[in-house]
């Protein structure tokens, strides 16, 4: 009985750790207008408040996963939580925009150390199929819906205290988690090996260059040399990353993980889905505040339908998967996301009313995302050899957070192209948000295509075919 209780305490610790790192990808969104005024940041530079956190988070996840394999997952979880708490305090104290962005990057690096260790500990703690499915459902609900909770908390702190509280609150939570980790999680084994530091550095710089290129395109135009040089450098570096991984003795991304079509499809599908859904968290709150005159808190509360729907699916997904299989549930969820987001793009305007249409559509999108995230998590971990658990867990999170940063970078160019020079016009702002949301539909549709072609039954051994439909 004690062992059973201990496992669920471990799950609570893992979920709490995942929640604070996911919250911090969105907790600043509803505070962006206030941050811009207090630290003298332009609209385009404010995107780096998000990307300064997300890029190192996604880029160093694989190195964090490797560090957990070599140095012990409990140790890396503790180190990550400790550094995350310190970085959060520094971000809350930031006197300048530059200091804030560096602190946010430090936060992202710390989160990259903690997150893969947490997911690998979940996989190791819940081995029995039904328990594991329930645990992954809860984890997936937090991973997918935690961003909207961040919007709500960020709005509350911004309206009633200060945006800085959204950073300070991580400190006592981090201290409590450090105690619980030491109390309830046993130290995992270590093994000898080498860090693929070059691979990690090249991947981070490559992804940052790619995102920077898109942001420069939004800010200065596609014709500027800086835009094309940055985009070309990003592509070259990411190709170099694949070459490095193919030659490394102990790569952070074992390329054999992509030999399984289901896993490859899960990584690609998650990347594309998050490209679309995360961008909603950036554009819709800005629309609600700048066009419909919502307060920061009201803009955060507006995402409750999404949050409640996605968390609610946590209880239904295991039964749906057991009855229909991961692939059918995934495709149904993606279809709901596409339909809800497409309809949302059509009603965004100066005359729009939040209730009931936007309310209902955000709930539909939340249901769809909730149906899609858990199957993508399960399929991303399917048939993974024990020595690759950390790398596979890291890749799931890399796909998630790389999608967040690249999707936002791409769609900010759509927004800037649509809004033109008259950025004070509410009508133009609404039109630009509508176009950006339509871009989210494109990403969700591409995720559906990836799911359709990568998860169709293939001529594989019977055991792997069963995993496809289970």
């Amino acid at each position: 009985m004690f062992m059973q209780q201990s496992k669920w305490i471990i799950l609570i610790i893992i979920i709490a750790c995942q929640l604070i790192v996911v919250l911090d990808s969105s907790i600043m969104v509803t505070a962006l207008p206030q941050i811009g005024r207090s630290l003298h940041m332009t609209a385009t530079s404010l995107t780096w408040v998000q990307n300064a956190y997300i890029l190192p988070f996604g880029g160093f996840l694989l190195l964090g996963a490797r560090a957990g394999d070599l140095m012990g997952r409990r140790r890396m979880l503790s180190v990550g939580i400790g550094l995350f708490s310190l970085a959060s305090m520094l971000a809350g104290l930031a006197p300048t925009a530059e200091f804030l962005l560096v602190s946010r990057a430090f936060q992202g690096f710390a989160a990259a150390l903690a997150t893969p260790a947490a997911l690998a500990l979940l996989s190791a703690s819940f081995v029995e199929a039904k328990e594991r499915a329930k645990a992954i459902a809860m984890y997936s609900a937090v991973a997918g819906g935690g961003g909207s909770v961040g919007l709500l908390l960020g709005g509350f702190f911004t309206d009633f205290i200060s945006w800085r509280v959204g950073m300070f609150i991580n400190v006592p939570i981090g201290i409590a988690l450090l105690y619980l980790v030491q109390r309830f999680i046993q130290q995992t084994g270590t093994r000898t090996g080498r860090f693929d530091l070059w691979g990690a550095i090249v991947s981070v710089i490559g992804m940052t260059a790619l995102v920077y290129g898109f942001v420069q395109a939004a800010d200065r135009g596609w014709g500027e040399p800086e835009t094309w040089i940055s985009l070309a450098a990003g592509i070259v570096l990411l190709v170099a990353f694949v070459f490095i991984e193919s030659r490394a003795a102990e790569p952070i991304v074992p390329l054999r993980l992509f030999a399984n079509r289901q896993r490859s499809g899960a990584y690609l599908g998650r990347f594309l889905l998050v490209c679309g859904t995360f961008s909603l968290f950036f554009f819709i709150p800005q629309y609600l505040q700048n066009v419909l005159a919502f307060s920061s808190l009201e803009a955060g509360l507006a995402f409750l339908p999404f949050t409640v729907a996605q968390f609610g699916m946590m209880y239904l997904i295991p039964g749906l998967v057991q009855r229909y299989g991961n692939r059918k549930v995934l495709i149904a969820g993606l279809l709901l996301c596409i339909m809800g987001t497409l309809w949302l793009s059509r009603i965004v305007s100066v005359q729009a009313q939040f209730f009931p249409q936007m309310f209902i559509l955000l709930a539909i999108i939340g249901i769809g995302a909730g149906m899609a995230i858990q199957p993508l998590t399960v399929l991303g971990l399917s048939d993974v050899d024990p020595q690759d658990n950390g790398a596979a867990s890291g890749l799931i999170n890399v796909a998630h957070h790389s999608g967040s940063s690249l999707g936002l970078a791409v769609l900010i160019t759509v927004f800037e192209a649509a809004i033109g020079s008259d950025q004070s016009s509410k009508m133009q702002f609404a039109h630009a948000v509508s176009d950006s949301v339509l871009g989210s539909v494109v990403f969700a549709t591409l995720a559906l295509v990836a799911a359709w072609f990568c998860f169709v039954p293939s001529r594989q051994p019977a055991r792997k075919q069963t995993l496809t439909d289970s």
Side-chain angles (χ1 to χ4, degrees), residues 18 22 138-147 270 310 373 400:
Q18 179 68 9
V22 172
M138 295 173 70
Y139 178 92
S140 300
V142 169
R270 192 185 194 100
Q310 186 162 28
I373 289 293
H400 196 101

Side-chain angles (χ1 to χ4, degrees), residues 22 25-26 47 50-51 53-55 57-58 143 147 207 211 270-283 396-412 443:
V22 172
S25 67
S26 63
T47 63
Q50 297 299 101
N51 283 329
Y53 176 75
I54 296 169
L55 281 168
F57 189 176
M207 195 67 185
V211 170
R270 192 185 194 100
F271 171 81
L272 292 167
L273 176 62
V274 176
C275 276
T277 56
F278 181 81
S279 299
L280 297 178
F281 289 86
F282 184 85
F283 291 111
I396 288 172
N397 285 290
V398 166
H400 196 101
H401 296 287
S402 297
S404 301
S405 57
L406 189 61
L408 179 58
V410 171
L411 294 181
I412 199 69
F443 279 123

Side-chain angles (χ1 to χ4, degrees), residues 13 28 50 67 105 139-140 174 205 217 329 334 336 382 399 418:
I13 295 169
M28 304 291 249
Q50 297 299 101
Y139 178 92
S140 300
I205 296 175
V329 172
L334 291 172
L336 284 175
S382 65

Side-chain angles (χ1 to χ4, degrees), residues 334-345:
L334 291 172
L335 284 172
L336 284 175
C337 282
I338 292 168
M339 291 186 294
T341 310
L342 179 61
W343 193 356
L344 182 64
S345 72

Side-chain angles (χ1 to χ4, degrees), residues 295-426:
S295 68
S296 298
L297 177 58
E298 288 170 340
L301 285 169
F303 268 79
L304 273 180
F306 182 101
T307 307
V308 172
Q310 186 162 28
F311 274 96
M313 291 308 297
M314 172 180 68
Y315 298 99
L316 300 178
I317 284 295
L320 290 173
V321 168
Q322 187 174 10
R323 182 171 182 179
Y324 299 106
N326 279 307
R327 185 166 56 90
K328 291 179 180 178
V329 172
L330 170 60
I331 289 173
L334 291 172
L335 284 172
L336 284 175
C337 282
I338 292 168
M339 291 186 294
T341 310
L342 179 61
W343 193 356
L344 182 64
S345 72
R346 301 298 299 272
I347 67 169
V348 168
S349 67
V350 176
Q351 295 82 20
Q353 297 292 324
F354 176 77
F355 190 87
Q357 279 189 309
M358 291 185 69
F359 181 95
I360 294 171
L361 292 175
L362 287 172
I364 291 173
I365 298 168
I367 291 170
M371 292 176 68
I373 289 293
Q374 191 208 342
L376 289 171
T377 303
V378 172
L379 291 163
L381 294 171
S382 65
D383 283 338
V384 175
D385 293 331
Q387 70 268 22
D388 290 333
N389 268 336
S393 302
L395 270 175
I396 288 172
N397 285 290
V398 166
H400 196 101
H401 296 287
S402 297
S404 301
S405 57
L406 189 61
L408 179 58
V410 171
L411 294 181
I412 199 69
T413 65
V414 176
F415 176 85
E416 289 293 338
I419 199 170
S421 58
D422 190 7
Q423 301 202 5
S424 62
S425 168
K426 289 186 176 182

